[in-house]
Amino acid sequence: MTNRRNFLRNASLLAAGGIFAGKSSSVSAAMPGMSQSAAPTCGAPKVIGLQIYSLGRELHQDVPGGLKKIKAMGYTTLELAGYNDGKIGATPMAEFKKMCDDAGLLITSTHVNPPEREYSSKNKGKIMDFWKKAADDHAQIGVKYLIQPGQPASTRSTQEVEYVGEIFNGAGEIAKAAGLQFGYHNHAGEFAWVQPGGKEAKPNSRSFGKDAKGLEVIYDGMLKHTDPSLVFFELDVYWAVMGQADPVEYMRKYNDRIRVLHIKDRAVLGQSGMMNFEMIFNTAYYAIGKFDYFVELEGVRNMTQFEGVKGCAEYLMKAPFVK
Ligand code: MG
């Protein structure tokens, strides 16, 4: 059954996907109370971040040389991946930081998954011990955001999602005590639905039958059960679309919770036709105001990861809607 909410959700998704692509000057008009001054100053150099996962193994073959290449492409900030016991890949974190300093790159964020995917009162202590070590290690190299990029397995019911929120709040407290901010990064699975007492998530609310009550999107439950002073959200706009969700709608609705974006496409930015980045950036400037973002690229064909990452930088450098 198509209700009003689904209609609006789908209409907005089409807009995000490009059906209504075009000049988005109406975005500010669509957002009462949002002033033009929320947009960054024109003429300042673009601050473009990169999630280093985008380079895969290619970066780790020559870290100092690779970082210099990244800087030359126009990237200024990095989000780390590959944290393992005080190292990034095989490089001790302090050395990695020094190499970034030498290349003129600032590490502002990191992706770290805890050692457990099932959350319970039995392993809560182990998970918190892990976050304490991860927060301390990253505090030593001046990282601002400590972000969990992977969905916990225990998100099969509304109650499990609520418990995940409790664990995230705990991680948030630990990060805050170390001077960092804890965030959560989505893929597509978080836009599935769950029900009270359920055994599994399902792709849409209709899958549960017309009499089902208390249905909830996992992502919305995560937002609801986390403390805004302890947990923020890094919205991966591509994975939101892949989860049949509208990143623009989420940024408008949760503009106080979504503070970082993953700018990602099916391959090199702007080439698939399925992502309306103009709408996404305009909404982020007006709805969120100040936000950080990181380019992410997964496996590419017929080119190296470095070539793909360079193509992404060129797209954002040229894009007039990226301030
Ligand atoms: Mg991502």
Side-chain angles (χ1 to χ4, degrees), residues 51 53 79 111 149 185-187 234-239 261-264 294-298:
Q51 162 52 257
Y53 167 82
E79 179 176 73
H111 271 197
H185 159 282
N186 63 282
H187 289 86
E234 177 184 61
L235 182 67
D236 186 310
V237 296
Y238 170 81
W239 283 118
L261 301 177
H262 257 201
I263 297 299
K264 177 171 157 56
F294 300 96
V295 167
E296 186 178 42
L297 176 73
E298 298 205 37

Side-chain angles (χ1 to χ4, degrees), residues 117-292:
R117 293 194 65 231
E118 291 285 348
Y119 293 178
S120 71
S121 54
K122 287 198 188 94
N123 64 24
K124 184 178 181 183
K126 182 180 173 186
I127 294 169
M128 294 306 149
D129 288 348
F130 173 83
W131 283 124
K132 176 85 173 71
K133 169 95 167 74
D136 288 346
D137 283 350
H138 285 90
Q140 285 186 20
I141 61 164
V143 175
K144 185 172 163 190
Y145 302 129
L146 177 64
I147 299 178
Q148 174 169 337
Q151 184 178 352
S154 41
T155 45
R156 305 174 195 91
S157 68
T158 54
Q159 290 89 346
E160 283 195 346
V161 172
E162 183 171 357
Y163 190 67
V164 162
E166 188 180 320
I167 298 285
F168 284 178
N169 285 336
E173 279 177 19
I174 288 166
K176 197 172 188 175
L180 286 82
Q181 297 168 49
F182 180 80
Y184 181 74
H185 159 282
N186 63 282
H187 289 86
E190 292 85 347
F191 298 97
W193 293 72
V194 286
Q195 67 179 343
K199 297 278 180 256
E200 61 173 342
K202 295 184 181 181
N204 59 60
S205 57
R206 293 183 299 280
S207 314
F208 291 92
K210 64 181 173 54
D211 297 325
K213 289 192 173 60
L215 299 176
E216 184 173 72
V217 173
I218 293 169
Y219 197 76
D220 296 36
M222 287 174 165
L223 281 152
K224 186 165 90 183
H225 295 297
T226 46
D227 180 339
S229 72
L230 298 174
V231 181
F232 75 91
F233 286 76
E234 177 184 61
L235 182 67
D236 186 310
V237 296
Y238 170 81
W239 283 118
V241 168
M242 292 300 282
Q244 301 291 305
D246 176 359
V248 165
E249 181 185 324
Y250 270 96
M251 284 190 282
R252 287 176 179 164
K253 189 170 175 188
Y254 297 105
N255 63 344
D256 56 337
R257 307 296 308 278
I258 294 169
R259 297 212 301 272
V260 184
L261 301 177
H262 257 201
I263 297 299
K264 177 171 157 56
D265 204 335
R266 190 151 51 83
V268 176
L269 293 181
Q271 291 190 357
S272 77
M274 64 180 283
M275 299 299 297
N276 185 342
F277 288 113
E278 180 170 8
M279 188 71 167
I280 286 166
F281 272 92
N282 282 339
T283 303
Y285 289 127
Y286 286 107
I288 303 172
K290 191 167 159 39
F291 64 98
D292 290 305

